[in-house]
Amino acid sequence: MCCGQHPSFPKDSVNVNSTSVLENLRDRLADTEARLARARAREAQLTRRLHEMKRFLSVMEILEAYLKRRYRLQQQRFARLLSLPPPTL
């Protein structure tokens, strides 16, 4: 073997090895695509849950504002009732 030359391998050995490598790469690609599909499905699920939580939070904020307003009105009514002079008989 001269400098710069590669050892010769039988053609059948190269073909078997290439086929094996190709199969391995195809399997890895299929696994990667499957993981990607699962990750995208999970992302979609989390996005839906996030939007549901945002809607829930908006409803709770509206409810909180309503209840605070009602509470202030009740306080004002109660304060007016306490500040009225007693009825005269």
Side-chain angles (χ1 to χ4, degrees):
M1 193 168 44
C2 280
C3 294
Q5 289 183 343
H6 298 286
S8 60
F9 293 104
K11 290 237 183 230
D12 290 342
S13 172
V14 172
N15 284 342
V16 169
N17 193 24
S18 295
T19 303
S20 164
V21 169
L22 187 58
E23 277 300 311
N24 185 323
L25 289 174
R26 284 182 179 149
D27 289 344
R28 289 172 55 193
L29 177 61
D31 288 343
T32 301
E33 288 174 342
R35 283 196 322 269
L36 180 60
R38 287 192 301 272
R40 285 183 176 151
R42 180 75 173 141
E43 179 186 20
Q45 178 188 26
L46 291 174
T47 299
R48 283 191 299 274
R49 287 181 61 198
L50 177 63
H51 288 296
E52 288 172 6
M53 291 173 76
K54 284 180 178 180
R55 278 195 303 270
F56 177 78
L57 184 59
S58 293
V59 169
M60 290 296 111
E61 288 172 344
I62 291 167
L63 185 58
E64 179 186 29
Y66 170 76
L67 291 173
K68 281 181 179 180
R69 192 167 45 250
R70 289 281 314 250
Y71 180 73
R72 279 194 305 272
L73 287 172
Q74 291 290 348
Q75 281 184 320
Q76 291 169 358
R77 287 181 188 143
F78 186 70
R80 278 196 303 265
L81 284 174
L82 290 179
S83 66
L84 289 176
T88 55
L89 298 173

